[in-house]
Amino acid sequence: QVQLVESGGGLVQTGGSLRLSCAASARQFSLYTMGWFRQAPGKGREFLAAIHWSSDTTYYVDSVKGRFTISRDNAKNTVYLQMNNLTPEDTAVYYCAADRLISIATLAQGSVNNWGKGTLVTVSS
């Protein structure tokens, strides 16, 4: 099992930016497709973005496209989520997810074995 630890959450004003990090304990991290989800108060979990293990292909949901950027550093076993132009609607707990050799589509469905405990992002108006 892979341990995922998110960091970088906090309080930011509308229009501000944050960069989330997710450090993974995985051996052969480069073989893991990585993604980010969030869960706002009273709502279900929402897929946001993913980066494929082999091609570094990325995918974003429409609500964050153009504002969020996912990237990875295989040498540091870390995936990042750069979030710009934040709004109060982005307030949520953000979770990192990962699994070995899976497609982005599979990860986007939440069919993954490894989840972090989350980091809280609060955007004030």
Side-chain angles (χ1 to χ4, degrees):
Q1 190 168 359
V2 175
Q3 286 191 327
L4 303 172
V5 180
E6 302 97 336
S7 61
L11 175 65
V12 64
Q13 291 185 332
T14 296
S17 298
L18 283 174
R19 188 177 80 154
L20 305 183
S21 300
C22 172
S25 67
R27 297 171 62 182
Q28 295 184 308
F29 174 77
S30 62
L31 297 183
Y32 283 75
T33 294
M34 306 294 295
W36 288 94
F37 292 73
R38 69 185 177 190
Q39 187 163 16
K43 295 187 177 181
R45 184 178 61 197
E46 176 188 18
F47 167 72
L48 300 175
I51 185 164
H52 194 263
W53 66 271
S54 72
S55 62
D56 279 352
T57 298
T58 58
Y59 180 83
Y60 302 89
V61 294
D62 287 345
S63 60
V64 306
K65 198 176 296 182
R67 298 190 300 126
F68 290 10
T69 302
I70 188 171
S71 62
R72 66 191 299 159
D73 185 338
N74 289 340
K76 295 183 177 180
N77 279 25
T78 301
V79 66
Y80 304 97
L81 187 69
Q82 176 67 42
M83 306 187 296
N84 298 326
N85 195 21
L86 289 163
T87 73
E89 288 68 36
D90 295 313
T91 293
V93 177
Y94 284 70
Y95 297 93
C96 177
D99 221 327
R100 196 170 182 269
L101 300 175
I102 63 169
S103 68
I104 286 179
T106 297
L107 186 142
Q109 294 169 4
S111 300
V112 294
N113 291 311
N114 306 292
W115 294 88
K117 294 184 178 180
T119 185
L120 177 63
V121 172
T122 304
V123 185
S124 64
S125 57

